[in-house]
């Protein structure tokens, strides 16, 4: 758990699942082992298990409070979901909601849920199982989904035999739409003057970056435009989960440049340790100064 302050806004990290994840080259097919070795001093142990050659990662939500709104950015895996092909995610019984309460947020307090994109590990807590039905976990929230993103996956789900997001589209997205709580957003959605939404496609067709401003300070929530901090140092390396790896690499560089230019705090969805930091130019690419947890 970590808390950050951006102007008058507080940002808490609430973790659903963290620990050892993918084999390095499995996540990042273009990875050059020498680059990991050259950065081992800061990658180990928070971000890389060198002995097993696997990345250490986290699946977390960011809880944003500005005095008027309580905004949950991405909703991780969820409990009780049928994910038979992903043993660690299958019928989970995690303590995410207790952790949310521990930072002072009851599910009823959440005013907005923003999903940066609609992959299985970003929508799970949108719903919970009650009396055999998937119902919204945050009954008073508006759930913001990118219009392009939703349209793409809704179309995919229509294909014969489709099971979009290992079932997540049907158990964690559609019930929100059916409950009338979904709002399909574009760049010009009038959320709040201090909050911006912008599409950075590539990881998925409509991946959103959510920007916040307060008292001259800024933060950008980038979802999975980066999965691992080594991609700050090598933004050309896209993950095996990217829908269009080339486009993803170009969006990644663009978001890193934006964070440098605006001195903005970068908050991705899967970095370990404090999970966020400030970006600086470095040897033709970038480096990260970690925010304290
Ligand atoms: Zn993800």
């Amino acid at each position: 758990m970590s808390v950050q302050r951006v102007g008058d806004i507080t940002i808490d990290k609430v973790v659903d699942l963290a620990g050892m994840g993918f084999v390095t080259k499995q996540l990042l097919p273009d990875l050059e082992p020498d680059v990991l070795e050259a950065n081992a001093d800061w990658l180990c142990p928070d971000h890389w298990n060198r002995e097993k050659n696997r990345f250490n990662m986290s699946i977390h939500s960011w809880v944003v409070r500005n005095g008027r709104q309580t905004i949950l950015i991405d909703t991780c895996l969820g409990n009780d979901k049928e994910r038979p092909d992903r043993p660690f995610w299958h019928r989970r019984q995690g303590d995410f909601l207790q952790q949310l309460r521990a930072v002072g947020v009851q599910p009823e307090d959440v005013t907005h849920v923003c999903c940066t994109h609609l992959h299985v590990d970003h929508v799970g807590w949108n719903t919970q199982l009650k009396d055999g039905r998937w119902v919204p976990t945050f009954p008073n929230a508006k759930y913001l989904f990118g219009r392009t993103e939703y349209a793409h996956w809704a179309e995919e789900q229509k294909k014969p035999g489709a099971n979009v997001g290992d079932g997540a589209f049907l158990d964690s997205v559609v019930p929100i739409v059916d409950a009338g709580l979904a709002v399909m957003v574009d760049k010009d959605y009038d959320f709040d003057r201090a909050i911006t939404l912008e599409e950075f496609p590539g990881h998925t067709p409509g991946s959103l970056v959510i920007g916040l401003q307060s008292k001259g300070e800024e933060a950008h929530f980038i979802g999975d435009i980066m999965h691992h901090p080594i991609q700050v140092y090598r933004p050309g390396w896209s993950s095996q989960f990217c829908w269009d790896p080339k486009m993803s690499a170009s969006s990644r560089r663009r978001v890193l440049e934006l964070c440098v230019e605006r001195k903005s705090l970068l908050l991705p969805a899967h970095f370990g340790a404090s999970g966020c930091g400030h970006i600086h130019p470095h040897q033709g690419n970038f480096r990260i100064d970690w925010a304290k947890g």
Side-chain angles (χ1 to χ4, degrees), residues 117 121-122 224 227 269-270:
H117 61 296
D121 53 324
H122 295 259
D224 286 1
H227 284 78
H270 298 307

Side-chain angles (χ1 to χ4, degrees), residues 122-140:
H122 295 259
V123 299
W125 277 106
N126 283 359
T127 58
Q128 56 186 340
L129 194 60
K130 285 266 165 79
D131 303 324
R133 288 180 55 233
W134 295 110
V135 300
T137 307
F138 309 103
N140 300 319

